Amino acid sequence: MSQEQKFETVIGLEVHAQLLTDSKIFAVSGATSGKTPNSLTDSVTLGLPGCLPVLNRRVVDFAIKLGLATNCSIQKMSTFSRKHYFYPDLPKGYQISQYDLPLCKDGFVEYRLNGELKRVNLTRIHLEEDAGKNIHGESDGISYVDLNRAGVPLVEIVSEPDMRRPEEAGAYLKQLKQILRYTEVCDANMEDGSLRCDANVSVRPIGQTELGVKVEIKNLNSFKFVERAIQHEVERQIAVIESGGTILQETRLFDEQKGTTRSMRSKEEAADYKYFPDPDLPPLIVDSEWIGKIKDSLPELPNEIYNRFINYYKLDAYTVEILTLESFIARFFEQAVAAHNNPQAVSNWITSELFGRLNKEGLSIMDSPVSPENLASLVRMIDEELISGKIAKTVFDEMFESGSSPESVVEKKGLKQLSDPDILDKVISQILEKNPKQLEEYRSGKDKMFGFFVGQVMKETEGRANPVMVNDILKAKLA
Ligand code: ADP
Ligand code: MG
């Protein structure tokens, strides 16, 4: 039995997501990124004394939307607290966050892993403000502070310790990203930091009911690193315990280069932050009408669309997984199928040819030169045997280049399938005449010469001859 089989891993994630509002959570400055340092500031963001925060209503809309999409119960009353610590990127000396009374509680997220449906329970989703950024100048040895990000609205999504393997954490996080993007509350880009994840990890001997001491890992900025860091941390903890040591409750940093974690600080307790209710902000009161309005505006969610595609279009799980990855892919697919009802063929064209070309050009499907309607027409022309599957690829390439409809490409390039029996008959007769030696070989029992003749017909017609008809006519002539 390997060491890992004697222990069970327990994982809980704390995920921060930046909300896509125009302005900050308590101030008027813009909440967009990529601007000149310190250009998105104002008296509240700078923490000037006597300047009061005012809660941004859109932030609450977005957080409720996310809470509903993750099956949370929305709290009619929630409050804001001050979490105190000193850091140059936090001018007020405290971060405004929701502490004892968060906006959303007791939700869950369902995700699939290797065909199995799994669930992670959510403890809470609360609102808070982001801090600024310290920039340490490499060349001049000076540290700078950029407060553009200070006061950008965040939700923190806290899970129960429900995951048991690193892959489960990765799959849950991907599902969360999908929900954030479908609901359009966050663009959920780990590389840009609009989605950030801290992983809490512990191990315990199999059979033990109480949880082991947990370690929190910070600085995970890709899905791959989340899984890798957890895996490494599990191995480290087991090695410590096996050699007679104990696990310290601490915060560790993931080192991307080495693939290991190292101690950053011993875990601070809530008391260290001296939380207290923020006297500048009254309790947030949300009534049923407000919640109801947002509920009505919820889009079809990833799992709902997934199930609908499986049941209604009868596509395989893998294909549906790809088609529902983003809402706009699902929309493209449905627009195409509405124009020509062949879900299987349409999905094949999207996931192979179209994605192949889009990836190559670095384009999103939203910028696809081939419209859903034109892709549908292409599939219809194949289904109606106006063009062969092979010619269709040439037509598709031209559609992608020019944005034209398949009809006009076929027309312009004369690519229509040749299904006129008289013309085919003539072409085949000529080919048999021109190749007496091969005809002789065929007649003396060399069956594979049949393929040679088919090939010659295709060459002569530039691939446009209807293959079934060519077969039939050739067979009749050679009989
Ligand atoms: P803290 O008080 O240290 O913030 P919480 O109880 O609030 O701890 O939990 C923070 C996160 O850690 C949650 O996502 C929770 O699921 C997870 N967690 C709590 N205990 C454990 C444990 N023993 N092992 C792994 N994760 C845990
Ligand atoms: Mg906590």
PDB file of all heavy atoms in Angstrom, residues 349 353 357 370 378 382 387-410 412-416 462-464:
ATOM      1  N   TRP A 349     -18.705  20.125 -37.602  1.00  0.00           N
ATOM      2  CA  TRP A 349     -18.056  21.224 -38.328  1.00  0.00           C
ATOM      3  C   TRP A 349     -17.555  22.297 -37.362  1.00  0.00           C
ATOM      4  O   TRP A 349     -16.484  22.854 -37.548  1.00  0.00           O
ATOM      5  CB  TRP A 349     -19.004  21.828 -39.366  1.00  0.00           C
ATOM      6  CG  TRP A 349     -18.980  21.058 -40.646  1.00  0.00           C
ATOM      7  CD1 TRP A 349     -19.774  19.994 -40.972  1.00  0.00           C
ATOM      8  CD2 TRP A 349     -18.075  21.245 -41.745  1.00  0.00           C
ATOM      9  NE1 TRP A 349     -19.426  19.516 -42.213  1.00  0.00           N
ATOM     10  CE2 TRP A 349     -18.399  20.258 -42.716  1.00  0.00           C
ATOM     11  CE3 TRP A 349     -17.046  22.140 -42.012  1.00  0.00           C
ATOM     12  CZ2 TRP A 349     -17.706  20.159 -43.930  1.00  0.00           C
ATOM     13  CZ3 TRP A 349     -16.366  22.040 -43.226  1.00  0.00           C
ATOM     14  CH2 TRP A 349     -16.684  21.061 -44.160  1.00  0.00           C
ATOM     15  N   GLU A 353     -13.434  21.690 -38.013  1.00  0.00           N
ATOM     16  CA  GLU A 353     -12.950  22.699 -38.979  1.00  0.00           C
ATOM     17  C   GLU A 353     -12.953  24.120 -38.413  1.00  0.00           C
ATOM     18  O   GLU A 353     -11.955  24.824 -38.465  1.00  0.00           O
ATOM     19  CB  GLU A 353     -13.804  22.699 -40.246  1.00  0.00           C
ATOM     20  CG  GLU A 353     -13.843  21.403 -41.014  1.00  0.00           C
ATOM     21  CD  GLU A 353     -12.473  20.881 -41.399  1.00  0.00           C
ATOM     22  OE1 GLU A 353     -11.667  21.643 -41.959  1.00  0.00           O
ATOM     23  OE2 GLU A 353     -12.216  19.691 -41.117  1.00  0.00           O
ATOM     24  N   ARG A 357      -9.615  26.375 -37.497  1.00  0.00           N
ATOM     25  CA  ARG A 357      -9.231  27.620 -38.160  1.00  0.00           C
ATOM     26  C   ARG A 357      -9.188  28.808 -37.185  1.00  0.00           C
ATOM     27  O   ARG A 357      -8.280  29.637 -37.228  1.00  0.00           O
ATOM     28  CB  ARG A 357     -10.200  27.941 -39.303  1.00  0.00           C
ATOM     29  CG  ARG A 357      -9.927  27.204 -40.603  1.00  0.00           C
ATOM     30  CD  ARG A 357      -8.523  27.385 -41.139  1.00  0.00           C
ATOM     31  NE  ARG A 357      -8.151  28.739 -41.530  1.00  0.00           N
ATOM     32  CZ  ARG A 357      -8.334  29.259 -42.723  1.00  0.00           C
ATOM     33  NH1 ARG A 357      -8.908  28.545 -43.669  1.00  0.00           N
ATOM     34  NH2 ARG A 357      -7.947  30.489 -42.991  1.00  0.00           N
ATOM     35  N   VAL A 370     -17.113  33.001 -40.581  1.00  0.00           N
ATOM     36  CA  VAL A 370     -18.193  32.131 -41.048  1.00  0.00           C
ATOM     37  C   VAL A 370     -19.356  32.272 -40.072  1.00  0.00           C
ATOM     38  O   VAL A 370     -19.215  31.978 -38.890  1.00  0.00           O
ATOM     39  CB  VAL A 370     -17.726  30.655 -41.094  1.00  0.00           C
ATOM     40  CG1 VAL A 370     -18.872  29.744 -41.517  1.00  0.00           C
ATOM     41  CG2 VAL A 370     -16.535  30.508 -42.030  1.00  0.00           C
ATOM     42  N   LEU A 378     -23.751  25.327 -45.589  1.00  0.00           N
ATOM     43  CA  LEU A 378     -22.711  24.421 -46.086  1.00  0.00           C
ATOM     44  C   LEU A 378     -23.113  22.972 -45.791  1.00  0.00           C
ATOM     45  O   LEU A 378     -23.030  22.101 -46.656  1.00  0.00           O
ATOM     46  CB  LEU A 378     -21.369  24.755 -45.427  1.00  0.00           C
ATOM     47  CG  LEU A 378     -20.171  23.907 -45.868  1.00  0.00           C
ATOM     48  CD1 LEU A 378     -19.822  24.173 -47.335  1.00  0.00           C
ATOM     49  CD2 LEU A 378     -18.949  24.169 -44.987  1.00  0.00           C
ATOM     50  N   ILE A 382     -24.139  19.715 -48.393  1.00  0.00           N
ATOM     51  CA  ILE A 382     -23.596  18.352 -48.356  1.00  0.00           C
ATOM     52  C   ILE A 382     -24.750  17.358 -48.256  1.00  0.00           C
ATOM     53  O   ILE A 382     -24.806  16.369 -48.982  1.00  0.00           O
ATOM     54  CB  ILE A 382     -22.654  18.153 -47.139  1.00  0.00           C
ATOM     55  CG1 ILE A 382     -21.525  19.181 -47.167  1.00  0.00           C
ATOM     56  CG2 ILE A 382     -22.085  16.742 -47.130  1.00  0.00           C
ATOM     57  CD1 ILE A 382     -20.741  19.249 -45.865  1.00  0.00           C
ATOM     58  N   ILE A 387     -22.735  19.175 -53.010  1.00  0.00           N
ATOM     59  CA  ILE A 387     -21.268  19.117 -52.988  1.00  0.00           C
ATOM     60  C   ILE A 387     -20.865  17.900 -52.161  1.00  0.00           C
ATOM     61  O   ILE A 387     -21.630  17.424 -51.320  1.00  0.00           O
ATOM     62  CB  ILE A 387     -20.625  20.388 -52.357  1.00  0.00           C
ATOM     63  CG1 ILE A 387     -21.230  20.668 -50.976  1.00  0.00           C
ATOM     64  CG2 ILE A 387     -20.768  21.590 -53.264  1.00  0.00           C
ATOM     65  CD1 ILE A 387     -20.557  21.794 -50.222  1.00  0.00           C
ATOM     66  N   SER A 388     -19.656  17.416 -52.403  1.00  0.00           N
ATOM     67  CA  SER A 388     -19.176  16.272 -51.620  1.00  0.00           C
ATOM     68  C   SER A 388     -18.558  16.796 -50.326  1.00  0.00           C
ATOM     69  O   SER A 388     -18.214  17.976 -50.215  1.00  0.00           O
ATOM     70  CB  SER A 388     -18.119  15.509 -52.420  1.00  0.00           C
ATOM     71  OG  SER A 388     -16.958  16.306 -52.535  1.00  0.00           O
ATOM     72  N   GLY A 389     -18.384  15.899 -49.350  1.00  0.00           N
ATOM     73  CA  GLY A 389     -17.760  16.277 -48.089  1.00  0.00           C
ATOM     74  C   GLY A 389     -16.361  16.829 -48.309  1.00  0.00           C
ATOM     75  O   GLY A 389     -15.902  17.718 -47.597  1.00  0.00           O
ATOM     76  N   LYS A 390     -15.690  16.289 -49.312  1.00  0.00           N
ATOM     77  CA  LYS A 390     -14.311  16.695 -49.566  1.00  0.00           C
ATOM     78  C   LYS A 390     -14.271  18.119 -50.136  1.00  0.00           C
ATOM     79  O   LYS A 390     -13.498  18.960 -49.686  1.00  0.00           O
ATOM     80  CB  LYS A 390     -13.664  15.701 -50.529  1.00  0.00           C
ATOM     81  CG  LYS A 390     -12.169  15.702 -50.444  1.00  0.00           C
ATOM     82  CD  LYS A 390     -11.575  14.496 -51.144  1.00  0.00           C
ATOM     83  CE  LYS A 390     -10.149  14.799 -51.509  1.00  0.00           C
ATOM     84  NZ  LYS A 390      -9.832  14.298 -52.838  1.00  0.00           N
ATOM     85  N   ILE A 391     -15.109  18.352 -51.128  1.00  0.00           N
ATOM     86  CA  ILE A 391     -15.181  19.691 -51.728  1.00  0.00           C
ATOM     87  C   ILE A 391     -15.610  20.711 -50.669  1.00  0.00           C
ATOM     88  O   ILE A 391     -15.158  21.861 -50.658  1.00  0.00           O
ATOM     89  CB  ILE A 391     -16.193  19.701 -52.910  1.00  0.00           C
ATOM     90  CG1 ILE A 391     -15.657  18.872 -54.066  1.00  0.00           C
ATOM     91  CG2 ILE A 391     -16.493  21.129 -53.345  1.00  0.00           C
ATOM     92  CD1 ILE A 391     -14.589  19.525 -54.890  1.00  0.00           C
ATOM     93  N   ALA A 392     -16.477  20.252 -49.738  1.00  0.00           N
ATOM     94  CA  ALA A 392     -16.986  21.157 -48.712  1.00  0.00           C
ATOM     95  C   ALA A 392     -15.841  21.792 -47.913  1.00  0.00           C
ATOM     96  O   ALA A 392     -15.922  22.940 -47.493  1.00  0.00           O
ATOM     97  CB  ALA A 392     -17.937  20.413 -47.777  1.00  0.00           C
ATOM     98  N   LYS A 393     -14.757  21.034 -47.724  1.00  0.00           N
ATOM     99  CA  LYS A 393     -13.629  21.591 -46.967  1.00  0.00           C
ATOM    100  C   LYS A 393     -12.976  22.742 -47.736  1.00  0.00           C
ATOM    101  O   LYS A 393     -12.569  23.743 -47.147  1.00  0.00           O
ATOM    102  CB  LYS A 393     -12.596  20.501 -46.664  1.00  0.00           C
ATOM    103  CG  LYS A 393     -13.231  19.401 -45.836  1.00  0.00           C
ATOM    104  CD  LYS A 393     -12.292  18.706 -44.884  1.00  0.00           C
ATOM    105  CE  LYS A 393     -13.144  17.847 -43.973  1.00  0.00           C
ATOM    106  NZ  LYS A 393     -12.484  16.811 -43.262  1.00  0.00           N
ATOM    107  N   THR A 394     -12.880  22.583 -49.051  1.00  0.00           N
ATOM    108  CA  THR A 394     -12.351  23.669 -49.882  1.00  0.00           C
ATOM    109  C   THR A 394     -13.279  24.881 -49.807  1.00  0.00           C
ATOM    110  O   THR A 394     -12.825  26.020 -49.682  1.00  0.00           O
ATOM    111  CB  THR A 394     -12.254  23.212 -51.365  1.00  0.00           C
ATOM    112  OG1 THR A 394     -11.665  21.925 -51.388  1.00  0.00           O
ATOM    113  CG2 THR A 394     -11.457  24.183 -52.183  1.00  0.00           C
ATOM    114  N   VAL A 395     -14.592  24.598 -49.891  1.00  0.00           N
ATOM    115  CA  VAL A 395     -15.569  25.687 -49.818  1.00  0.00           C
ATOM    116  C   VAL A 395     -15.454  26.391 -48.465  1.00  0.00           C
ATOM    117  O   VAL A 395     -15.450  27.625 -48.389  1.00  0.00           O
ATOM    118  CB  VAL A 395     -17.011  25.146 -50.016  1.00  0.00           C
ATOM    119  CG1 VAL A 395     -18.030  26.266 -49.857  1.00  0.00           C
ATOM    120  CG2 VAL A 395     -17.144  24.466 -51.363  1.00  0.00           C
ATOM    121  N   PHE A 396     -15.315  25.585 -47.388  1.00  0.00           N
ATOM    122  CA  PHE A 396     -15.212  26.165 -46.045  1.00  0.00           C
ATOM    123  C   PHE A 396     -14.005  27.100 -45.946  1.00  0.00           C
ATOM    124  O   PHE A 396     -14.105  28.202 -45.399  1.00  0.00           O
ATOM    125  CB  PHE A 396     -15.111  25.061 -44.994  1.00  0.00           C
ATOM    126  CG  PHE A 396     -14.918  25.590 -43.609  1.00  0.00           C
ATOM    127  CD1 PHE A 396     -16.005  25.995 -42.845  1.00  0.00           C
ATOM    128  CD2 PHE A 396     -13.645  25.729 -43.062  1.00  0.00           C
ATOM    129  CE1 PHE A 396     -15.830  26.522 -41.575  1.00  0.00           C
ATOM    130  CE2 PHE A 396     -13.454  26.251 -41.794  1.00  0.00           C
ATOM    131  CZ  PHE A 396     -14.552  26.652 -41.051  1.00  0.00           C
ATOM    132  N   ASP A 397     -12.866  26.650 -46.472  1.00  0.00           N
ATOM    133  CA  ASP A 397     -11.657  27.492 -46.417  1.00  0.00           C
ATOM    134  C   ASP A 397     -11.911  28.845 -47.058  1.00  0.00           C
ATOM    135  O   ASP A 397     -11.523  29.881 -46.522  1.00  0.00           O
ATOM    136  CB  ASP A 397     -10.497  26.795 -47.139  1.00  0.00           C
ATOM    137  CG  ASP A 397      -9.860  25.731 -46.252  1.00  0.00           C
ATOM    138  OD1 ASP A 397     -10.016  25.838 -45.014  1.00  0.00           O
ATOM    139  OD2 ASP A 397      -9.233  24.803 -46.792  1.00  0.00           O
ATOM    140  N   GLU A 398     -12.584  28.811 -48.214  1.00  0.00           N
ATOM    141  CA  GLU A 398     -12.876  30.042 -48.936  1.00  0.00           C
ATOM    142  C   GLU A 398     -13.874  30.912 -48.150  1.00  0.00           C
ATOM    143  O   GLU A 398     -13.739  32.135 -48.081  1.00  0.00           O
ATOM    144  CB  GLU A 398     -13.418  29.688 -50.327  1.00  0.00           C
ATOM    145  CG  GLU A 398     -13.742  30.874 -51.208  1.00  0.00           C
ATOM    146  CD  GLU A 398     -12.541  31.770 -51.480  1.00  0.00           C
ATOM    147  OE1 GLU A 398     -11.399  31.259 -51.475  1.00  0.00           O
ATOM    148  OE2 GLU A 398     -12.749  32.991 -51.668  1.00  0.00           O
ATOM    149  N   MET A 399     -14.850  30.252 -47.512  1.00  0.00           N
ATOM    150  CA  MET A 399     -15.810  30.987 -46.684  1.00  0.00           C
ATOM    151  C   MET A 399     -15.099  31.681 -45.531  1.00  0.00           C
ATOM    152  O   MET A 399     -15.408  32.817 -45.172  1.00  0.00           O
ATOM    153  CB  MET A 399     -16.852  30.026 -46.080  1.00  0.00           C
ATOM    154  CG  MET A 399     -17.859  29.475 -47.077  1.00  0.00           C
ATOM    155  SD  MET A 399     -18.725  28.021 -46.408  1.00  0.00           S
ATOM    156  CE  MET A 399     -19.730  28.759 -45.115  1.00  0.00           C
ATOM    157  N   PHE A 400     -14.134  30.975 -44.954  1.00  0.00           N
ATOM    158  CA  PHE A 400     -13.399  31.529 -43.816  1.00  0.00           C
ATOM    159  C   PHE A 400     -12.559  32.723 -44.259  1.00  0.00           C
ATOM    160  O   PHE A 400     -12.469  33.730 -43.564  1.00  0.00           O
ATOM    161  CB  PHE A 400     -12.509  30.454 -43.182  1.00  0.00           C
ATOM    162  CG  PHE A 400     -12.029  30.814 -41.802  1.00  0.00           C
ATOM    163  CD1 PHE A 400     -12.720  30.378 -40.675  1.00  0.00           C
ATOM    164  CD2 PHE A 400     -10.896  31.599 -41.623  1.00  0.00           C
ATOM    165  CE1 PHE A 400     -12.292  30.726 -39.401  1.00  0.00           C
ATOM    166  CE2 PHE A 400     -10.464  31.958 -40.352  1.00  0.00           C
ATOM    167  CZ  PHE A 400     -11.175  31.519 -39.234  1.00  0.00           C
ATOM    168  N   GLU A 401     -11.961  32.609 -45.454  1.00  0.00           N
ATOM    169  CA  GLU A 401     -11.125  33.698 -45.958  1.00  0.00           C
ATOM    170  C   GLU A 401     -11.948  34.942 -46.279  1.00  0.00           C
ATOM    171  O   GLU A 401     -11.563  36.055 -45.956  1.00  0.00           O
ATOM    172  CB  GLU A 401     -10.390  33.265 -47.242  1.00  0.00           C
ATOM    173  CG  GLU A 401      -9.333  32.175 -47.050  1.00  0.00           C
ATOM    174  CD  GLU A 401      -8.253  32.584 -46.048  1.00  0.00           C
ATOM    175  OE1 GLU A 401      -7.900  33.782 -46.023  1.00  0.00           O
ATOM    176  OE2 GLU A 401      -7.771  31.710 -45.295  1.00  0.00           O
ATOM    177  N   SER A 402     -13.080  34.710 -46.990  1.00  0.00           N
ATOM    178  CA  SER A 402     -13.809  35.847 -47.557  1.00  0.00           C
ATOM    179  C   SER A 402     -15.078  36.214 -46.797  1.00  0.00           C
ATOM    180  O   SER A 402     -15.634  37.284 -47.014  1.00  0.00           O
ATOM    181  CB  SER A 402     -14.184  35.526 -49.001  1.00  0.00           C
ATOM    182  OG  SER A 402     -15.047  34.403 -49.028  1.00  0.00           O
ATOM    183  N   GLY A 403     -15.546  35.320 -45.932  1.00  0.00           N
ATOM    184  CA  GLY A 403     -16.812  35.575 -45.246  1.00  0.00           C
ATOM    185  C   GLY A 403     -18.020  35.354 -46.147  1.00  0.00           C
ATOM    186  O   GLY A 403     -19.145  35.693 -45.783  1.00  0.00           O
ATOM    187  N   SER A 404     -17.796  34.787 -47.338  1.00  0.00           N
ATOM    188  CA  SER A 404     -18.904  34.587 -48.286  1.00  0.00           C
ATOM    189  C   SER A 404     -19.786  33.411 -47.870  1.00  0.00           C
ATOM    190  O   SER A 404     -19.394  32.583 -47.065  1.00  0.00           O
ATOM    191  CB  SER A 404     -18.392  34.278 -49.688  1.00  0.00           C
ATOM    192  OG  SER A 404     -17.318  35.083 -50.022  1.00  0.00           O
ATOM    193  N   SER A 405     -20.964  33.338 -48.514  1.00  0.00           N
ATOM    194  CA  SER A 405     -21.851  32.204 -48.285  1.00  0.00           C
ATOM    195  C   SER A 405     -21.325  31.029 -49.103  1.00  0.00           C
ATOM    196  O   SER A 405     -20.640  31.218 -50.107  1.00  0.00           O
ATOM    197  CB  SER A 405     -23.270  32.549 -48.729  1.00  0.00           C
ATOM    198  OG  SER A 405     -23.301  32.625 -50.141  1.00  0.00           O
ATOM    199  N   PRO A 406     -21.645  29.799 -48.689  1.00  0.00           N
ATOM    200  CA  PRO A 406     -21.169  28.636 -49.455  1.00  0.00           C
ATOM    201  C   PRO A 406     -21.753  28.624 -50.872  1.00  0.00           C
ATOM    202  O   PRO A 406     -21.078  28.221 -51.809  1.00  0.00           O
ATOM    203  CB  PRO A 406     -21.655  27.439 -48.638  1.00  0.00           C
ATOM    204  CG  PRO A 406     -22.742  27.953 -47.759  1.00  0.00           C
ATOM    205  CD  PRO A 406     -22.432  29.394 -47.507  1.00  0.00           C
ATOM    206  N   GLU A 407     -23.001  29.089 -51.010  1.00  0.00           N
ATOM    207  CA  GLU A 407     -23.617  29.115 -52.337  1.00  0.00           C
ATOM    208  C   GLU A 407     -22.785  29.940 -53.305  1.00  0.00           C
ATOM    209  O   GLU A 407     -22.529  29.519 -54.437  1.00  0.00           O
ATOM    210  CB  GLU A 407     -25.042  29.700 -52.280  1.00  0.00           C
ATOM    211  CG  GLU A 407     -26.059  28.823 -51.569  1.00  0.00           C
ATOM    212  CD  GLU A 407     -26.093  29.047 -50.065  1.00  0.00           C
ATOM    213  OE1 GLU A 407     -25.222  29.786 -49.555  1.00  0.00           O
ATOM    214  OE2 GLU A 407     -26.966  28.470 -49.384  1.00  0.00           O
ATOM    215  N   SER A 408     -22.363  31.128 -52.841  1.00  0.00           N
ATOM    216  CA  SER A 408     -21.630  31.997 -53.767  1.00  0.00           C
ATOM    217  C   SER A 408     -20.228  31.447 -54.048  1.00  0.00           C
ATOM    218  O   SER A 408     -19.722  31.599 -55.155  1.00  0.00           O
ATOM    219  CB  SER A 408     -21.583  33.434 -53.244  1.00  0.00           C
ATOM    220  OG  SER A 408     -20.657  33.552 -52.217  1.00  0.00           O
ATOM    221  N   VAL A 409     -19.610  30.777 -53.054  1.00  0.00           N
ATOM    222  CA  VAL A 409     -18.287  30.187 -53.299  1.00  0.00           C
ATOM    223  C   VAL A 409     -18.407  29.074 -54.337  1.00  0.00           C
ATOM    224  O   VAL A 409     -17.633  29.007 -55.297  1.00  0.00           O
ATOM    225  CB  VAL A 409     -17.679  29.625 -51.987  1.00  0.00           C
ATOM    226  CG1 VAL A 409     -16.383  28.863 -52.279  1.00  0.00           C
ATOM    227  CG2 VAL A 409     -17.417  30.744 -50.990  1.00  0.00           C
ATOM    228  N   VAL A 410     -19.412  28.221 -54.161  1.00  0.00           N
ATOM    229  CA  VAL A 410     -19.612  27.090 -55.073  1.00  0.00           C
ATOM    230  C   VAL A 410     -19.896  27.595 -56.485  1.00  0.00           C
ATOM    231  O   VAL A 410     -19.348  27.099 -57.474  1.00  0.00           O
ATOM    232  CB  VAL A 410     -20.767  26.202 -54.557  1.00  0.00           C
ATOM    233  CG1 VAL A 410     -21.249  25.238 -55.636  1.00  0.00           C
ATOM    234  CG2 VAL A 410     -20.317  25.423 -53.325  1.00  0.00           C
ATOM    235  N   LYS A 412     -19.151  30.631 -57.761  1.00  0.00           N
ATOM    236  CA  LYS A 412     -18.014  31.357 -58.330  1.00  0.00           C
ATOM    237  C   LYS A 412     -16.917  30.403 -58.797  1.00  0.00           C
ATOM    238  O   LYS A 412     -16.293  30.607 -59.816  1.00  0.00           O
ATOM    239  CB  LYS A 412     -17.465  32.317 -57.276  1.00  0.00           C
ATOM    240  CG  LYS A 412     -16.882  33.583 -57.847  1.00  0.00           C
ATOM    241  CD  LYS A 412     -16.638  34.646 -56.779  1.00  0.00           C
ATOM    242  CE  LYS A 412     -15.557  34.228 -55.813  1.00  0.00           C
ATOM    243  NZ  LYS A 412     -15.524  35.038 -54.596  1.00  0.00           N
ATOM    244  N   LYS A 413     -16.678  29.361 -58.016  1.00  0.00           N
ATOM    245  CA  LYS A 413     -15.560  28.462 -58.323  1.00  0.00           C
ATOM    246  C   LYS A 413     -15.998  27.222 -59.098  1.00  0.00           C
ATOM    247  O   LYS A 413     -15.174  26.353 -59.365  1.00  0.00           O
ATOM    248  CB  LYS A 413     -14.876  28.042 -57.025  1.00  0.00           C
ATOM    249  CG  LYS A 413     -14.383  29.214 -56.198  1.00  0.00           C
ATOM    250  CD  LYS A 413     -13.026  28.932 -55.626  1.00  0.00           C
ATOM    251  CE  LYS A 413     -12.319  30.245 -55.379  1.00  0.00           C
ATOM    252  NZ  LYS A 413     -10.995  30.082 -54.816  1.00  0.00           N
ATOM    253  N   GLY A 414     -17.283  27.147 -59.422  1.00  0.00           N
ATOM    254  CA  GLY A 414     -17.769  25.997 -60.180  1.00  0.00           C
ATOM    255  C   GLY A 414     -17.526  24.682 -59.462  1.00  0.00           C
ATOM    256  O   GLY A 414     -16.998  23.729 -60.027  1.00  0.00           O
ATOM    257  N   LEU A 415     -17.861  24.631 -58.190  1.00  0.00           N
ATOM    258  CA  LEU A 415     -17.531  23.449 -57.385  1.00  0.00           C
ATOM    259  C   LEU A 415     -18.710  22.500 -57.177  1.00  0.00           C
ATOM    260  O   LEU A 415     -18.612  21.536 -56.451  1.00  0.00           O
ATOM    261  CB  LEU A 415     -17.009  23.888 -56.004  1.00  0.00           C
ATOM    262  CG  LEU A 415     -15.659  24.605 -56.005  1.00  0.00           C
ATOM    263  CD1 LEU A 415     -15.347  25.144 -54.629  1.00  0.00           C
ATOM    264  CD2 LEU A 415     -14.573  23.662 -56.480  1.00  0.00           C
ATOM    265  N   LYS A 416     -19.810  22.820 -57.846  1.00  0.00           N
ATOM    266  CA  LYS A 416     -20.996  22.015 -57.625  1.00  0.00           C
ATOM    267  C   LYS A 416     -20.742  20.558 -58.006  1.00  0.00           C
ATOM    268  O   LYS A 416     -20.079  20.279 -59.003  1.00  0.00           O
ATOM    269  CB  LYS A 416     -22.133  22.573 -58.484  1.00  0.00           C
ATOM    270  CG  LYS A 416     -23.480  22.250 -57.974  1.00  0.00           C
ATOM    271  CD  LYS A 416     -24.455  23.264 -58.541  1.00  0.00           C
ATOM    272  CE  LYS A 416     -25.870  22.915 -58.151  1.00  0.00           C
ATOM    273  NZ  LYS A 416     -26.788  23.870 -58.760  1.00  0.00           N
ATOM    274  N   GLU A 462     -12.056  17.198 -61.328  1.00  0.00           N
ATOM    275  CA  GLU A 462     -11.545  17.997 -60.195  1.00  0.00           C
ATOM    276  C   GLU A 462     -12.285  17.708 -58.892  1.00  0.00           C
ATOM    277  O   GLU A 462     -12.623  18.614 -58.131  1.00  0.00           O
ATOM    278  CB  GLU A 462     -11.613  19.485 -60.531  1.00  0.00           C
ATOM    279  CG  GLU A 462     -10.611  19.844 -61.610  1.00  0.00           C
ATOM    280  CD  GLU A 462     -10.800  21.255 -62.130  1.00  0.00           C
ATOM    281  OE1 GLU A 462     -11.960  21.683 -62.255  1.00  0.00           O
ATOM    282  OE2 GLU A 462      -9.780  21.910 -62.391  1.00  0.00           O
ATOM    283  N   GLY A 463     -12.556  16.406 -58.679  1.00  0.00           N
ATOM    284  CA  GLY A 463     -13.159  15.985 -57.411  1.00  0.00           C
ATOM    285  C   GLY A 463     -14.647  16.220 -57.322  1.00  0.00           C
ATOM    286  O   GLY A 463     -15.245  15.970 -56.284  1.00  0.00           O
ATOM    287  N   ARG A 464     -15.262  16.686 -58.391  1.00  0.00           N
ATOM    288  CA  ARG A 464     -16.672  17.067 -58.286  1.00  0.00           C
ATOM    289  C   ARG A 464     -17.650  15.953 -58.637  1.00  0.00           C
ATOM    290  O   ARG A 464     -18.843  16.076 -58.399  1.00  0.00           O
ATOM    291  CB  ARG A 464     -16.947  18.283 -59.166  1.00  0.00           C
ATOM    292  CG  ARG A 464     -16.273  19.543 -58.650  1.00  0.00           C
ATOM    293  CD  ARG A 464     -16.242  20.626 -59.719  1.00  0.00           C
ATOM    294  NE  ARG A 464     -17.550  20.784 -60.319  1.00  0.00           N
ATOM    295  CZ  ARG A 464     -17.782  20.786 -61.638  1.00  0.00           C
ATOM    296  NH1 ARG A 464     -16.795  20.630 -62.483  1.00  0.00           N
ATOM    297  NH2 ARG A 464     -18.998  20.948 -62.097  1.00  0.00           N
TER     298      ARG A 464
END
